[in-house]
Protein backbone atom coordinates (compact mmCIF):
# COMPACT_ATOMS: atom_id res chain seq x y z
CA UNK A 1 0.00 0.00 0.00
CA UNK A 2 1.34 3.46 -0.84
CA UNK A 3 2.05 5.94 1.92
CA UNK A 4 -0.79 8.19 3.08
CA UNK A 5 0.10 11.59 1.67
CA UNK A 6 -1.04 14.81 3.30
CA UNK A 7 -0.83 18.35 1.96
CA UNK A 8 -0.91 21.20 4.48
CA UNK A 9 -2.08 24.55 3.07
CA UNK A 10 -0.93 27.40 5.31
CA UNK A 11 1.91 25.17 6.51
CA UNK A 12 4.02 28.09 7.73
CA UNK A 13 1.19 29.49 9.84
CA UNK A 14 0.59 29.18 13.56
CA UNK A 15 -1.65 26.11 13.20
CA UNK A 16 -0.10 24.83 9.99
CA UNK A 17 3.25 24.21 11.67
CA UNK A 18 1.56 21.99 14.24
CA UNK A 19 -0.41 20.24 11.49
CA UNK A 20 2.82 19.46 9.62
CA UNK A 21 4.37 18.10 12.83
CA UNK A 22 1.27 16.02 13.64
CA UNK A 23 1.10 14.57 10.14
CA UNK A 24 4.79 13.58 10.37
CA UNK A 25 4.25 12.15 13.86
CA UNK A 26 1.60 9.87 12.41
CA UNK A 27 4.06 8.67 9.78
CA UNK A 28 2.35 10.32 6.82
CA UNK A 29 4.19 11.59 3.82
CA UNK A 30 3.76 15.30 4.45
CA UNK A 31 3.79 18.11 1.94
CA UNK A 32 3.89 21.70 3.08
CA UNK A 33 2.63 24.31 0.63
CA UNK A 34 4.74 27.47 0.89
CA UNK A 35 4.78 30.74 -1.00
CA UNK A 36 8.52 30.63 -1.59
CA UNK A 37 11.41 28.33 -0.80
CA UNK A 38 12.73 30.68 1.90
CA UNK A 39 9.57 30.33 3.97
CA UNK A 40 9.81 26.55 3.76
CA UNK A 41 13.32 26.53 5.26
CA UNK A 42 12.00 26.68 8.81
CA UNK A 43 9.80 23.58 8.44
CA UNK A 44 10.96 20.13 9.61
CA UNK A 45 13.31 18.49 7.13
CA UNK A 46 11.09 15.43 6.91
CA UNK A 47 8.34 17.55 5.38
CA UNK A 48 8.43 18.17 1.66
CA UNK A 49 8.13 21.90 1.05
CA UNK A 50 6.33 22.59 -2.21
CA UNK A 51 6.33 26.09 -3.61
CA UNK A 52 2.97 27.15 -5.04
CA UNK A 53 1.14 30.33 -5.82
CA UNK A 54 -2.38 30.38 -4.43
CA UNK A 55 -3.35 32.73 -7.26
CA UNK A 56 -2.45 30.24 -10.04
CA UNK A 57 -3.96 26.74 -10.09
CA UNK A 58 -1.40 25.42 -12.58
CA UNK A 59 1.45 25.97 -10.06
CA UNK A 60 -0.39 23.74 -7.57
CA UNK A 61 -0.43 20.53 -9.62
CA UNK A 62 2.66 19.04 -7.89
CA UNK A 63 1.18 19.84 -4.48
CA UNK A 64 -2.10 17.99 -5.07
CA UNK A 65 -0.78 15.16 -7.23
CA UNK A 66 -1.44 11.81 -5.52
CA UNK A 67 -2.55 13.46 -2.31
CA UNK A 68 -4.85 11.54 0.08
CA UNK A 69 -5.66 14.30 2.56
CA UNK A 70 -5.57 18.10 2.49
CA UNK A 71 -5.48 20.19 5.68
CA UNK A 72 -6.34 23.88 5.26
CA UNK A 73 -4.95 26.08 8.02
CA UNK A 74 -4.32 29.23 5.98
CA UNK A 75 -5.93 32.54 6.80
CA UNK A 76 -5.77 36.28 6.37
CA UNK A 77 -5.90 38.94 9.06
CA UNK A 78 -8.53 41.52 8.28
CA UNK A 79 -10.24 43.04 5.31
CA UNK A 80 -12.77 41.64 2.89
CA UNK A 81 -10.38 41.70 -0.06
CA UNK A 82 -7.75 39.62 1.73
CA UNK A 83 -10.39 37.23 3.02
CA UNK A 84 -11.72 36.72 -0.48
CA UNK A 85 -8.25 36.24 -1.94
CA UNK A 86 -6.73 34.11 0.83
CA UNK A 87 -9.39 32.48 3.05
CA UNK A 88 -11.84 31.69 0.25
CA UNK A 89 -9.36 31.83 -2.63
CA UNK A 90 -7.07 29.10 -1.27
CA UNK A 91 -9.96 26.65 -0.98
CA UNK A 92 -11.28 27.55 -4.42
CA UNK A 93 -7.96 27.16 -6.18
CA UNK A 94 -6.85 23.97 -4.44
CA UNK A 95 -10.19 22.34 -5.35
CA UNK A 96 -9.67 23.55 -8.90
CA UNK A 97 -6.14 22.09 -8.99
CA UNK A 98 -7.48 18.81 -7.59
CA UNK A 99 -9.96 18.61 -10.48
CA UNK A 100 -12.00 15.40 -10.40
CA UNK A 101 -9.58 13.55 -8.12
CA UNK A 102 -10.59 12.49 -4.64
CA UNK A 103 -8.95 13.57 -1.41
CA UNK A 104 -10.13 13.89 2.16
CA UNK A 105 -10.47 17.52 3.26
CA UNK A 106 -9.96 19.04 6.72
CA UNK A 107 -10.79 22.76 6.66
CA UNK A 108 -10.18 25.15 9.54
CA UNK A 109 -12.34 28.28 9.67
CA UNK A 110 -13.40 29.99 12.94
CA UNK A 111 -15.95 29.85 15.73
CA UNK A 112 -18.64 32.45 15.04
CA UNK A 113 -18.14 32.18 11.28
CA UNK A 114 -21.90 32.37 10.65
CA UNK A 115 -22.08 35.81 12.31
CA UNK A 116 -21.83 38.16 9.37
CA UNK A 117 -18.59 40.05 8.90
CA UNK A 118 -16.84 40.39 5.54
CA UNK A 119 -14.04 38.08 6.74
CA UNK A 120 -16.41 35.48 8.17
CA UNK A 121 -18.56 35.48 5.06
CA UNK A 122 -15.59 34.61 2.85
CA UNK A 123 -14.47 31.85 5.22
CA UNK A 124 -18.02 30.51 5.17
CA UNK A 125 -18.06 30.57 1.38
CA UNK A 126 -14.90 28.44 1.53
CA UNK A 127 -16.79 25.99 3.75
CA UNK A 128 -19.60 25.94 1.21
CA UNK A 129 -17.22 25.08 -1.63
CA UNK A 130 -15.94 22.11 0.37
CA UNK A 131 -19.48 20.86 1.10
CA UNK A 132 -20.47 21.30 -2.55
CA UNK A 133 -17.36 19.46 -3.78
CA UNK A 134 -18.76 16.05 -2.92
CA UNK A 135 -15.42 15.18 -1.33
CA UNK A 136 -15.28 13.65 2.15
CA UNK A 137 -14.61 16.44 4.64
CA UNK A 138 -14.48 17.72 8.18
CA UNK A 139 -14.86 21.45 8.90
CA UNK A 140 -13.35 22.60 12.20
CA UNK A 141 -14.23 26.04 13.58
CA UNK A 142 -11.83 26.59 16.45
CA UNK A 143 -12.27 28.89 19.41
CA UNK A 144 -9.63 31.41 20.42
CA UNK A 145 -6.12 30.07 19.87
CA UNK A 146 -4.05 29.36 22.99
CA UNK A 147 -6.31 31.32 25.36
CA UNK A 148 -6.78 28.08 27.29
CA UNK A 149 -5.39 27.49 30.78
CA UNK A 150 -2.73 24.74 30.90
CA UNK A 151 -5.26 22.30 32.40
CA UNK A 152 -7.94 23.14 29.83
CA UNK A 153 -7.45 20.23 27.43
CA UNK A 154 -10.75 18.35 27.38
CA UNK A 155 -12.03 18.88 23.87
CA UNK A 156 -15.66 19.79 23.28
CA UNK A 157 -17.20 19.73 19.82
CA UNK A 158 -20.25 21.92 19.33
CA UNK A 159 -22.58 22.46 16.39
CA UNK A 160 -24.87 25.29 15.29
CA UNK A 161 -22.26 28.04 15.78
CA UNK A 162 -24.23 29.94 18.43
CA UNK A 163 -21.25 31.61 20.13
CA UNK A 164 -21.07 35.04 18.57
CA UNK A 165 -19.48 37.27 21.23
CA UNK A 166 -16.30 37.53 19.12
CA UNK A 167 -14.07 37.31 22.17
CA UNK A 168 -12.53 34.43 24.14
CA UNK A 169 -15.81 33.92 26.03
CA UNK A 170 -16.86 32.05 22.86
CA UNK A 171 -14.38 29.33 23.75
CA UNK A 172 -10.67 28.67 23.76
CA UNK A 173 -8.43 25.88 22.52
CA UNK A 174 -4.74 25.26 22.01
CA UNK A 175 -3.13 25.46 18.60
CA UNK A 176 -1.65 22.00 19.12
CA UNK A 177 -5.05 20.43 19.75
CA UNK A 178 -6.60 22.19 16.74
CA UNK A 179 -3.91 20.65 14.54
CA UNK A 180 -4.40 17.24 16.15
CA UNK A 181 -8.14 17.31 15.46
CA UNK A 182 -7.66 18.41 11.85
CA UNK A 183 -5.14 15.66 11.09
CA UNK A 184 -7.08 12.99 13.00
CA UNK A 185 -10.23 13.79 11.02
CA UNK A 186 -8.54 12.80 7.75
CA UNK A 187 -8.66 9.12 8.57
CA UNK A 188 -11.81 9.01 10.69
CA UNK A 189 -14.89 7.57 9.00
CA UNK A 190 -17.13 9.07 11.67
CA UNK A 191 -15.71 12.57 11.07
CA UNK A 192 -16.87 12.66 7.47
CA UNK A 193 -19.40 15.42 6.63
CA UNK A 194 -19.09 16.91 10.11
CA UNK A 195 -19.00 20.65 10.79
CA UNK A 196 -18.02 21.51 14.34
CA UNK A 197 -16.91 24.27 16.65
CA UNK A 198 -13.90 23.20 18.69
CA UNK A 199 -13.24 24.43 22.22
CA UNK A 200 -11.54 23.02 25.30
CA UNK A 201 -12.80 22.81 28.89
CA UNK A 202 -10.97 21.98 32.12
CA UNK A 203 -9.82 18.39 32.15
CA UNK A 204 -7.60 15.96 30.32
CA UNK A 205 -7.29 15.62 26.58
CA UNK A 206 -9.15 12.62 25.17
CA UNK A 207 -6.92 9.95 23.60
CA UNK A 208 -9.47 8.86 21.03
CA UNK A 209 -11.37 11.53 19.13
CA UNK A 210 -13.74 9.18 17.31
CA UNK A 211 -16.40 9.15 20.07
CA UNK A 212 -16.48 12.96 19.83
CA UNK A 213 -16.82 12.96 16.05
CA UNK A 214 -19.39 10.15 16.18
CA UNK A 215 -21.65 12.12 18.53
CA UNK A 216 -22.01 14.92 15.97
CA UNK A 217 -24.73 15.16 13.37
CA UNK A 218 -23.53 14.92 9.76
CA UNK A 219 -24.29 17.76 7.40
CA UNK A 220 -27.19 16.77 5.12
CA UNK A 221 -25.98 15.70 1.68
CA UNK A 222 -26.29 18.66 -0.68
CA UNK A 223 -26.48 21.22 2.12
CA UNK A 224 -24.30 24.31 1.78
CA UNK A 225 -24.22 24.99 5.52
CA UNK A 226 -23.44 23.04 8.66
CA UNK A 227 -26.29 20.87 9.86
CA UNK A 228 -27.42 23.15 12.70
CA UNK A 229 -26.23 26.48 11.31
CA UNK A 230 -28.42 29.57 11.17
CA UNK A 231 -29.68 30.01 7.62
CA UNK A 232 -28.73 33.65 7.30
CA UNK A 233 -26.78 33.62 4.01
CA UNK A 234 -29.25 32.66 1.26
CA UNK A 235 -27.68 31.67 -2.03
CA UNK A 236 -29.99 34.10 -3.87
CA UNK A 237 -28.22 36.99 -2.14
CA UNK A 238 -24.72 35.76 -2.90
CA UNK A 239 -22.39 37.40 -5.45
CA UNK A 240 -22.72 35.94 -8.94
CA UNK A 241 -19.09 34.73 -8.98
CA UNK A 242 -19.66 32.77 -5.77
CA UNK A 243 -22.78 31.04 -7.09
CA UNK A 244 -20.95 30.25 -10.32
CA UNK A 245 -17.98 28.76 -8.45
CA UNK A 246 -20.35 26.53 -6.49
CA UNK A 247 -21.76 25.27 -9.77
CA UNK A 248 -18.24 24.61 -11.10
CA UNK A 249 -17.28 22.70 -7.96
CA UNK A 250 -20.46 20.62 -8.17
CA UNK A 251 -19.81 19.86 -11.84
CA UNK A 252 -16.48 18.21 -10.92
CA UNK A 253 -18.30 15.68 -8.71
CA UNK A 254 -18.16 12.09 -9.79
N1 LIG B 1 -6.44 33.74 16.58
C1 LIG B 1 -7.53 33.08 16.90
O1 LIG B 1 -7.87 32.91 18.08
C2 LIG B 1 -8.35 32.46 15.80
C3 LIG B 1 -9.45 31.64 16.14
C4 LIG B 1 -10.16 31.03 15.11
C5 LIG B 1 -9.79 31.22 13.79
N2 LIG B 1 -8.74 32.03 13.49
C6 LIG B 1 -8.38 32.21 12.07
O2 LIG B 1 -7.26 31.43 11.78
C7 LIG B 1 -6.65 31.93 10.62
C8 LIG B 1 -5.18 31.63 10.67
O3 LIG B 1 -4.63 32.32 11.77
P1 LIG B 1 -3.09 32.17 12.18
O4 LIG B 1 -2.89 33.02 13.36
O5 LIG B 1 -2.73 30.71 12.23
O6 LIG B 1 -2.41 32.85 10.92
P2 LIG B 1 -0.91 32.79 10.45
O7 LIG B 1 -0.03 32.25 11.50
O8 LIG B 1 -0.61 34.13 9.84
O9 LIG B 1 -0.98 31.71 9.25
C9 LIG B 1 -1.62 31.99 8.07
C10 LIG B 1 -1.10 31.08 6.98
O10 LIG B 1 -1.73 31.43 5.75
C11 LIG B 1 -0.72 31.75 4.79
N3 LIG B 1 -1.11 32.85 3.93
C12 LIG B 1 -1.66 34.02 4.31
N4 LIG B 1 -1.81 34.81 3.22
C13 LIG B 1 -1.35 34.11 2.15
C14 LIG B 1 -1.24 34.37 0.76
N5 LIG B 1 -1.66 35.52 0.22
N6 LIG B 1 -0.71 33.42 -0.05
C15 LIG B 1 -0.27 32.26 0.49
N7 LIG B 1 -0.34 31.95 1.80
C16 LIG B 1 -0.88 32.87 2.61
C17 LIG B 1 0.49 32.17 5.59
O11 LIG B 1 1.64 32.02 4.79
P3 LIG B 1 2.97 32.87 5.11
O12 LIG B 1 3.59 32.20 6.32
O13 LIG B 1 3.76 32.71 3.87
O14 LIG B 1 2.54 34.26 5.40
C18 LIG B 1 0.41 31.21 6.76
O15 LIG B 1 0.94 29.96 6.40
C19 LIG B 1 -7.01 33.43 10.55
O16 LIG B 1 -7.68 33.69 9.34
C20 LIG B 1 -7.96 33.63 11.71
O17 LIG B 1 -9.12 34.36 11.34
C21 LIG B 1 -8.01 32.65 14.46
Amino acid sequence: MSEFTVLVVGATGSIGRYAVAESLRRGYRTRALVRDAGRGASLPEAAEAIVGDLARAQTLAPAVDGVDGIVFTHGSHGGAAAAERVDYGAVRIILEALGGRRARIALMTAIGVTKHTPGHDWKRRGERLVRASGLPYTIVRPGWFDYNEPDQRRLVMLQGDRRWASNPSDGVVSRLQIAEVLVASLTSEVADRRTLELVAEHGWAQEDLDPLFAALQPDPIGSLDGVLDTHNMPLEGEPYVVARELELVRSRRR
Side-chain angles (χ1 to χ4, degrees):
M1 210 175 103
S2 64
E3 255 179 308
F4 192 79
T5 301
V6 171
L7 171 69
V8 180
V9 179
T12 49
S14 83
I15 309 294
R17 289 177 180 280
Y18 284 111
V20 168
E22 175 61 11
S23 174
L24 289 171
R25 191 189 69 77
R26 286 174 171 256
Y28 301 153
R29 183 172 172 203
T30 304
R31 293 180 184 161
L33 187 65
V34 295
R35 293 196 226 199
D36 59 60
R39 288 183 197 251
S42 61
L43 290 165
E45 265 183 34
E48 188 187 348
I50 299 197
V51 178
D53 181 349
L54 285 175
R56 292 186 301 147
Q58 61 274 28
T59 69
L60 300 168
V64 296
D65 190 38
V67 86
D68 299 294
I70 303 176
V71 181
F72 289 98
T73 60
H74 64 288
S76 64
H77 298 279
E84 177 178 1
R85 197 176 64 253
V86 178
D87 297 67
Y88 171 78
V91 178
R92 185 186 66 71
I93 204 152
I94 291 284
L95 292 180
E96 182 186 335
L98 198 58
R101 288 170 289 182
R102 269 190 103 67
R104 181 70 185 250
I105 307 292
L107 171 65
M108 178 183 84
T109 59
I111 201 165
V113 70
T114 58
K115 174 185 173 184
H116 283 298
T117 70
H120 281 171
D121 289 354
W122 285 110
K123 281 185 197 291
R124 189 170 173 189
R125 290 175 183 131
E127 292 189 355
R128 286 179 160 190
L129 285 183
V130 168
R131 293 192 192 94
S133 72
L135 298 172
Y137 69 84
T138 308
I139 294 173
V140 178
R141 299 163 166 172
W144 287 59
F145 299 173
D146 283 349
Y147 274 78
N148 56 304
E149 303 290 333
D151 68 341
Q152 226 172 339
R153 296 272 165 187
R154 184 173 61 81
L155 291 174
V156 177
M157 295 180 179
L158 306 165
Q159 292 186 292
D161 197 38
R162 295 295 189 273
R163 298 189 178 184
W164 283 11
S166 304
N167 64 44
S169 72
D170 285 336
V172 297
V173 60
S174 74
R175 287 179 162 91
L176 171 66
Q177 286 194 293
I178 298 167
E180 286 174 349
V181 169
L182 288 164
V183 177
S185 75
L186 294 176
T187 51
S188 168
E189 275 184 32
V190 288
D192 183 20
R193 259 186 322 113
R194 264 58 172 186
T195 299
L196 61 111
E197 295 84 57
L198 183 70
V199 299
E201 302 292 354
H202 289 279
W204 298 103
Q206 298 91 332
E207 295 261 316
D208 181 5
L209 297 178
D210 268 1
L212 297 179
F213 287 129
L216 300 172
Q217 294 186 46
D219 297 335
I221 291 170
S223 168
L224 287 177
D225 289 320
V227 57
L228 299 177
D229 286 354
T230 306
H231 295 295
N232 60 349
M233 199 159 85
L235 191 54
E236 307 79 69
E238 284 289 89
Y240 168 74
V241 285
V242 170
R244 190 169 156 273
E245 195 63 36
L246 281 168
E247 279 314 308
L248 271 175
V249 161
R250 287 198 182 104
S251 71
R252 291 190 209 112
R253 270 184 188 172
R254 285 166 305 161

